[in-house]
Amino acid sequence: MEKRGICLNGPERGIFDLTHAKAEMMKFMDRFDQQDPAIALRRTHTLRVVEEARFLGSRLHMSKSEIEVAELIALLHDYGRFLPEGKSMDHGSLAAERLFHKGEIRRFTEESTYDGVIEAAIYYHNKAAVDPHLYETAHFFADFIRDCDKLDILAVRLSQQAQYEREAQECLFVSEAVMSCFQRQRYVKNELRKTKLDEYVAALAFVFDMRFIVTLQEVRKRSLIEKLLQIKVPASAQKQLYLIEEQLNAYLAVKLEGYGVDET
């Protein structure tokens, strides 16, 4: 069984009224144009990340209270994306500011014991890396929401495959800088993505940044790498996709050695 680290102390009991929190988040999301595809995507992504948090939390044998904290983080992780300022500001930082420095978190829960953990996880969920000096419990939940988020972003990319396929037909190659990240088995920073094809394959490099074995097991179990790389691209780029697939599968083979796909 994967060691999950130190989280919350306390009894096995519920600490949040998640039904209330979800109802309030639905009201919040309803304020925005539901006919806008970007808003609709953010809404469904939010709800799926909550499901991933519950599922992966159970796979990690997290306690009831720990899973509730994880679900609340997941519910609010993209809060900043819905706000008008989110178009020009870092949405993780914006969410942390509005929820915890302007008090908007109290709309979702009156329980404040874990505010520091929730704020840190939301703040760091979209950063290139989590501050290595962040205290252990907050670091755990930051890593956890990042995995949940990335796992669903891969599913989102798969749902957008046909769209990217059309937009990538003029892209003869994956950019050299992006290919270099795959060769070094590294996360692809936003500034390195120059084309739609770069943007599409960069999501696959999220695999290199996933922190939990159970997340990597789900990537393999759901055949996400194989499905995402079925995208039709020019022959020159197809050769690069084969190399990307080799790097990803080699990485998974090392990380998952000794672990079964369905291990709980």
Side-chain angles (χ1 to χ4, degrees):
M1 183 177 71
E2 180 177 6
K3 183 179 180 181
R4 61 172 177 78
I6 299 171
C7 295
L8 308 178
N9 295 317
E12 288 287 321
R13 60 179 177 83
I15 53 177
F16 297 118
D17 183 348
L18 287 175
T19 300
H20 168 77
K22 289 173 184 176
E24 288 299 316
M25 189 60 179
M26 295 301 284
K27 289 179 190 176
F28 170 74
M29 294 189 292
D30 283 345
R31 289 165 40 191
F32 304 95
D33 182 7
Q34 302 303 306
Q35 302 305 311
D36 182 340
I39 295 295
L41 177 59
R42 288 169 201 157
R43 183 189 186 105
T44 56
H45 168 68
T46 292
L47 298 177
R48 285 197 306 265
V49 174
V50 173
E51 292 175 2
E52 294 289 11
R54 187 183 310 117
F55 174 70
L56 294 179
S58 67
R59 292 282 311 278
L60 283 169
H61 301 281
M62 289 164 61
S63 70
K64 179 182 174 69
S65 58
E66 290 163 355
I67 291 176
E68 285 192 2
V69 170
E71 285 189 68
L72 188 60
I73 292 167
L75 186 68
L76 299 174
H77 82 283
D78 269 354
Y79 187 81
R81 275 200 184 278
F82 289 91
L83 300 170
E85 307 96 303
K87 295 179 180 178
S88 58
M89 292 179 62
D90 178 290
H91 70 275
S93 301
L94 175 62
E97 169 67 24
R98 290 287 292 268
L99 287 167
F100 295 95
H101 297 272
K102 295 190 180 296
E104 293 176 24
I105 185 65
R106 299 284 80 88
R107 173 179 178 177
F108 303 96
T109 180
E110 291 299 321
E111 173 59 62
S112 60
T113 304
Y114 304 107
D115 277 7
V117 170
I118 298 168
E119 179 183 0
I122 291 173
Y123 178 86
Y124 282 107
H125 90 271
N126 68 324
K127 303 299 185 286
V130 179
D131 182 350
H133 303 296
L134 191 65
Y135 63 100
E136 188 172 12
T137 302
H139 204 303
F140 172 85
F141 281 100
D143 282 342
F144 184 75
I145 187 58
R146 286 161 68 88
D147 270 27
C148 296
D149 192 29
K150 287 176 171 64
L151 191 57
D152 189 66
I153 290 173
L154 291 179
V156 169
R157 282 288 181 273
L158 189 57
S159 73
Q160 298 170 329
Q161 189 173 75
Q163 175 188 338
Y164 273 96
E165 207 167 77
R166 290 191 298 271
E167 295 173 342
Q169 285 309 304
E170 295 182 2
C171 303
L172 298 180
F173 298 98
V174 177
S175 298
E176 184 177 343
V178 173
M179 285 301 299
S180 176
C181 290
F182 279 98
Q183 289 161 358
R184 293 180 292 114
Q185 298 184 340
R186 295 289 185 271
Y187 171 80
V188 180
K189 294 181 179 179
N190 289 339
E191 59 266 26
L192 298 179
R193 308 170 192 182
K194 305 302 182 185
T195 68
K196 278 294 182 180
L197 184 55
D198 286 350
E199 183 181 304
Y200 181 83
V201 300
L204 280 159
F206 285 163
V207 170
F208 302 134
D209 195 47
M210 291 175 172
R211 290 293 180 258
F212 296 94
I213 292 298
V214 294
T215 318
L216 295 174
Q217 287 174 327
E218 286 303 309
V219 169
R220 177 180 279 180
K221 182 178 179 181
R222 300 177 194 184
S223 302
L224 289 171
I225 294 170
E226 294 81 0
K227 290 175 180 176
L228 282 160
L229 289 174
Q230 286 174 2
I231 186 172
K232 295 180 177 62
V233 295
S236 51
Q238 186 61 60
K239 294 178 182 178
Q240 293 175 301
L241 297 194
Y242 291 143
L243 294 175
I244 286 172
E245 186 170 16
E246 286 180 2
Q247 287 292 335
L248 288 165
N249 286 331
Y251 180 83
L252 285 182
V254 170
K255 290 292 183 179
L256 296 180
E257 184 178 3
Y259 290 94
V261 171
D262 295 313
E263 180 175 290
T264 59

